Amino acid sequence: NGQGMLFNDQTSGDAASLQIVNSTTGQNKEEKKDLGSVLASIGSDILSETSKQKIIDAVKTDSMASYVSEGLKNALVTYLSVKPVESVNDNPQFIVETTLTSCKLLTSQSGVSVQVEATARIIDRTTGAIVWDDSETETVPIRSNGNYADQDKNQTLNKVLGAVQLASLSETEIQNVVNQASKSAGRLMGDTLREDIIKSKQK
């Protein structure tokens, strides 16, 4: 409680490229393809080559890892009043390592979702011991306004985007909605941490 923490994030080899689950056929078959190819498989005449390339360029999994880490950081500051630091030169007591292990785009007739898998662990710098770790999988529909905190509050403004609608966004907007989905996974880790804190105080 109140200790300095250094936050590091990284992307594992499996998350370096986007994995695609095309559930439009109901078979939920996973294929490793580039994002443009998968969206085009929904209908070859739906997306132009320019649109496909824009999406490929916009979705960067390395930035998603930092958003997962940010969600966890916010939880640690809220529940334990930790003090985030910039480098080891600030002599943090703990190091928090967050790893994006998998990133999938789920496509279906009902819309597009991002599934993020990530792990996190808190390491005591003095002893090298892992004092807490967690692994979470979060599936978040990509929504028009990027608001994931209250998904059902306004169905008109907060509707799930389809593949064609996703392609119509700017590159910045595409990256933003995907990053916000990643941040949601970090918040889920934070909820797990909060529950673990409660259990530890009851012992």
Side-chain angles (χ1 to χ4, degrees), residues 19 31-32 37 64 71 104 114 144 160 165 167 189 191:
Q19 293 178 292
E31 302 178 57
K32 282 193 176 181
S37 297
M64 296 174 68
K104 300 176 183 178
V114 174
S144 56
V160 178
Q165 292 169 310
M189 284 184 169
D191 285 339

Side-chain angles (χ1 to χ4, degrees), residues 169-188:
L169 300 178
S170 68
E171 290 191 13
T172 300
E173 289 171 330
I174 293 171
Q175 187 66 66
N176 179 60
V177 293
V178 172
N179 284 344
Q180 290 303 315
S182 304
K183 194 172 181 179
S184 179
R187 286 197 296 266
L188 185 62

